[in-house]
Amino acid sequence: MISVAEIQDYLVNLAPPDLAESWDNVGLLTGDPTWKVDQVLTCLTLTPDVAAEAISAGVNLIISHHPILFRPVQQITSASVEGKMLLDLIQAKVSVYCPHTSYDSADRGINWQLANLLGLEEIGVLRPVSAQGEQAVGPDRGAGRFGTLPAEFTLAQLNQLIKQALKITALQFVGEPDFRIRRLGIACGAAAEFLDDAHRHGCQALLTGEARFHACLEARALGMGLILPGHYATERPAIEQMAQLLYQQFPTLKIWASQNETDPLKWDCQDDSI
């Protein structure tokens, strides 16, 4: 049987940990590398519903994009929701690996996948980084992506393209609908701090999942569009893609993206005037 360590090695190559942000917590966060695996579940965030799905199905390894242990903890007990979930997973011998920002920034990671999905050309890195240790430095290493759209779009047209690509019905945005865009920056999740990087690379707009109010004001002050389809919408498709990549590498395993996971945010698109 395949071990946790073998899958971990694959994930390290897919999303090198040295690409992770300094504040992040990536890698194998619970479990034992020697444990055997025959079922794998991927998810964006490990919640009690997702953990119950995994345990009920007999999953041995969960790959959760967002870390389960993000900040230092002093207690792991059943008194807290997270503590009880962790105890349940450990008791069921379920290991948990979290790639997070290393997968965001990987060569074929989330931001590249979004850029490719939208048909961007001449894709570059918004915030390049140097490799650590003996690993070679490459021009495509770093956080965020930017590129040229196949044609010039108005902001309204680009919003429609993004909604279709991400299979959503609504999004938020900053800017005038007729504002014209040819170069787009991309930073999945909650990454409006890449506005300055996108502006420096000549982007007319930045696509990210969510942003604080003051970041929206900053975008307006820079004369840039800011497109916000939601944190979940920008990252969940790549989690489904990860399940497919893992199955291609380990075809003897049963691997799927969580069926219980949903976006906690709902959009009220109903027109009450009708």
Side-chain angles (χ1 to χ4, degrees):
M1 291 181 67
I2 294 166
S3 68
V4 170
E6 291 175 82
I7 300 175
Q8 180 180 2
D9 287 344
Y10 172 77
L11 292 169
V12 165
N13 286 324
L14 176 69
D18 71 328
L19 286 175
E21 299 292 334
S22 59
W23 45 261
D24 206 359
N25 186 24
V26 303
L28 186 65
L29 301 188
T30 66
D32 186 331
T34 66
W35 286 350
K36 301 305 179 183
V37 177
D38 57 19
Q39 296 193 80
V40 180
L41 179 143
T42 67
C43 64
L44 181 59
T45 307
L46 184 47
T47 61
D49 286 347
V50 174
E53 175 187 359
I55 293 171
S56 175
V59 163
N60 317 104
L61 173 64
I62 296 173
I63 299 168
S64 172
H65 186 59
H66 295 142
I68 52 170
L69 295 169
F70 191 67
R71 296 178 179 85
V73 295
Q74 294 179 314
Q75 295 177 326
I76 299 178
T77 74
S78 60
S80 70
V81 172
E82 183 182 56
K84 183 179 185 308
M85 180 179 71
L86 285 169
L87 289 173
D88 288 344
L89 290 168
I90 293 168
Q91 185 176 18
K93 297 186 69 174
V94 180
S95 298
V96 181
Y97 187 98
C98 302
H100 203 206
T101 53
S102 61
Y103 188 40
D104 292 346
S105 300
D107 289 347
R108 292 297 180 266
I110 296 182
N111 287 315
W112 180 88
Q113 290 177 36
L114 286 170
N116 189 58
L117 182 65
L118 296 174
L120 296 192
E121 301 167 353
E122 301 174 340
I123 298 172
V125 176
L126 278 179
R127 192 179 291 176
V129 297
S130 298
Q132 299 175 7
E134 298 179 357
Q135 191 170 358
V137 177
D140 296 329
R141 291 180 57 89
R145 295 293 185 271
F146 70 93
T148 304
L149 290 159
E152 188 176 69
F153 287 76
T154 65
L155 181 54
Q157 290 171 333
L158 183 55
N159 287 342
Q160 291 301 314
L161 174 66
I162 290 169
K163 286 192 291 184
Q164 291 171 6
L166 297 181
K167 299 178 182 178
I168 56 176
T169 58
L171 53 71
Q172 295 178 303
F173 67 95
V174 175
E176 296 300 322
D178 60 354
F179 179 63
R180 306 194 76 80
I181 300 165
R182 188 65 195 273
R183 180 169 284 195
L184 177 67
I186 294 176
C188 63
E193 68 269 20
F194 284 85
L195 270 167
D196 286 338
D197 302 277
H199 187 260
R200 187 168 57 252
H201 285 287
C203 298
Q204 290 85 36
L206 174 70
L207 165 66
T208 188
E210 58 181 320
R212 295 177 180 270
F213 177 73
H214 288 286
C216 297
L217 294 177
E218 181 185 354
R220 189 169 68 181
L222 288 170
M224 291 179 61
L226 182 61
I227 305 169
L228 309 170
H231 199 128
Y232 185 92
T234 60
E235 295 187 338
R236 167 69 189 197
I239 301 311
E240 297 171 3
Q241 173 69 10
M242 176 172 280
Q244 296 177 19
L245 292 172
L246 285 165
Y247 182 71
Q248 291 171 10
Q249 183 69 20
F250 302 100
T252 61
L253 301 183
K254 183 178 180 182
I255 304 171
W256 72 97
S258 171
Q259 299 299 304
N260 283 358
E261 185 168 60
T262 58
D263 191 343
L265 290 174
K266 306 300 180 185
W267 300 84
D268 186 353
C269 302
Q270 182 176 350
D271 186 349
D272 292 333
S273 65
I274 297 176

